[in-house]
């Protein structure tokens, strides 16, 4: 039987930091509200595009796996904020990496996208058609935010994470997985005006930003992430005691806590880094996985649970059994170009576009 082992991992977070205190200047909010209601203290704002962050994360993942870009035969890039509509961001990544032997495509399942992509990459390896796959989650959510809308501006950030999957006979990698969608309620989390449905000649500026019914998304996320996590643990033939680490999508600390409670997991078995980056959509889990490994929280043979929820409305959960190696085979010095501007300066045109109306509804 063929399996797909995660052999490399890497992240890229842009250098410009936007703090909760900065947000107090942009919209009607407070550090205290954001911290207690979401767990977020700061997030990163990119001065580059999604493909640039994806390339840096991928270079770290390739080095950790001891591979060259030309060894990769498939790239699946989970994103809902591709640089442009055509070509795919994955195509730009392929060119920048020099991954000339890879077939590539983007996958949009919003915040659940990286688990979807992990599932697709795993199946492609298991099917026998591919041997070495890059599975990336990369997002520039700041581009889709109205920073005067406190209901969304405080939640999201930019970043990328990547893993390398390699074919193996060892029974490691994805052990069980569930992906699902309820499109009938997709309207509660959407960007109505970006895409071919938008009115490109007379667009209303608010249509270019994320619209979200936060409490309704919250309620559904708690149910879906908790239930899907429980099901994949059971499908993998595990009990809760066998779970070594839950690495959940980082959308809200209260959603993470509720998911952990549903699984009856102790807090030390849950990886949380939401305070530093906020919700980077498809990038949260591969960034968190990379940090968990760097911090020694992923041990050889560990049973990891991933769970996510997002626009679509999508959800996903997976059990991954880690292999024997938790140290990178090599290191890369890849990084983004330095940036002169602060996060607040990077957002000047956003604020000019949406006005300083301190929109609260
Ligand atoms: O990955 C999937 C993507 N999205 C999510 O996962 C988001 C899921 N939803 C959430 O995380 C939460 O619903 C939010 C963080 C968005 C909102 O938290 P909440 O506890 O559900 O607050 P709420 O929307 O029910 O609002 C409670 C109060 C309201 O004021 P009143 O009516 O009680 O006076 C809001 O107007 O908090 C107010 N409020 C804020 N106040 C200060 C809402 N946002 C803010 C804010 N700063 N940023």
């Amino acid at each position: 039987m063929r399996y797909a082992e995660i052999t490399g991992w890497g992240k890229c977070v842009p250098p410009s930091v936007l703090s909760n205190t900065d947000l107090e200047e942009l919209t009607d909010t407070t550090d205290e509200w954001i911290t207690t209601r979401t767990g977020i203290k700061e997030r990163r704002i990119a001065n580059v595009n999604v493909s640039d962050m994806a390339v840096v994360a991928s270079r770290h993942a390739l080095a950790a796996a001891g591979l060259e870009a030309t060894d990769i035969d498939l790239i699946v890039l989970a994103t809902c904020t591709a640089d442009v509509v055509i070509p795919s961001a994955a195509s730009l990544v392929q060119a920048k990496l020099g991954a000339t032997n890879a077939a590539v495509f983007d996958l949009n399942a919003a915040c659940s996208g990286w688990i979807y992509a992990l599932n697709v990459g795993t199946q492609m390896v298991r099917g026998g058609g591919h041997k070495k796959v890059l599975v990336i989650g990369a997002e520039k959510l700041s581009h889709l935010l109205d920073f005067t809308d406190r209901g969304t501006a405080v939640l999201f950030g930019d970043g990328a994470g990547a893993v390398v999957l390699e074919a193996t006979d060892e029974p490691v990698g994805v052990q069980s997985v569930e992906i699902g969608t309820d499109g009938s309620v997709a309207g509660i989390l959407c960007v109505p005006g970006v895409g071919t449905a938008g009115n490109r000649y007379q667009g209303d500026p608010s249509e270019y930003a994320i619209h979200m019914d936060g409490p309704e998304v919250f309620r559904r996320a708690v149910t879906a992430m908790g239930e899907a996590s429980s099901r994949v643990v059971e499908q993998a033939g595990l009990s809760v005691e066998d779970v070594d680490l839950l690495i959940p999508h980082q959308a809200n600390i209260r959603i993470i806590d509720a998911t952990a409670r549903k699984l009856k997991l102790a807090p030390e078995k849950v990886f949380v880094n939401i305070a530093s980056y906020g919700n980077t959509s498809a990038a949260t889990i591969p960034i968190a996985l990379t940090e968990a490994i760097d911090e020694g929280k992923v041990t050889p043979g560990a049973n990891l649970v991933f769970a996510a929820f997002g626009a679509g409305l999508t959800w996903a959960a997976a059990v991954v059994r880690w292999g024997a190696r938790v140290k990178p085979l090599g290191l890369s010095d890849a990084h983004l170009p330095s940036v002169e501007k602060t996060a607040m300066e990077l957002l000047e045109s956003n604020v000019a576009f949406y006005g300083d109306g301190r929109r609260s509804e």
Side-chain angles (χ1 to χ4, degrees), residues 110-183:
C111 299
S112 309
W114 186 79
I115 301 180
Y116 270 65
L118 179 70
N119 186 22
V120 170
T122 297
Q123 298 302 336
M124 298 291 254
V125 169
R126 286 185 147 193
H130 296 271
K131 292 191 176 68
K132 296 183 185 350
V133 181
L134 258 177
V135 177
I136 311 167
E139 301 279 17
K140 186 175 174 177
L141 272 302
S142 64
H143 185 76
L144 294 180
L145 290 174
D146 166 356
F147 277 90
T148 68
D149 176 10
R150 69 181 185 178
T152 53
V154 304
L155 300 175
F156 298 99
D158 304 333
V163 300
V164 173
L165 297 179
E166 289 189 71
T168 176
D169 295 329
E170 296 296 318
V172 295
V174 172
Q175 305 293 301
S176 61
V177 62
E178 174 177 319
I179 58 174
T181 305
D182 182 357

Side-chain angles (χ1 to χ4, degrees), residues 29 33 37 111 150 154 212 214-215 218 249 251-252 254 279 309:
T29 193
W33 191 95
R37 303 306 291 170
C111 299
R150 69 181 185 178
V154 304
M212 183 174 71
F218 184 99
H249 172 48
N252 187 317
R254 292 181 292 139
N279 181 347
F309 186 85

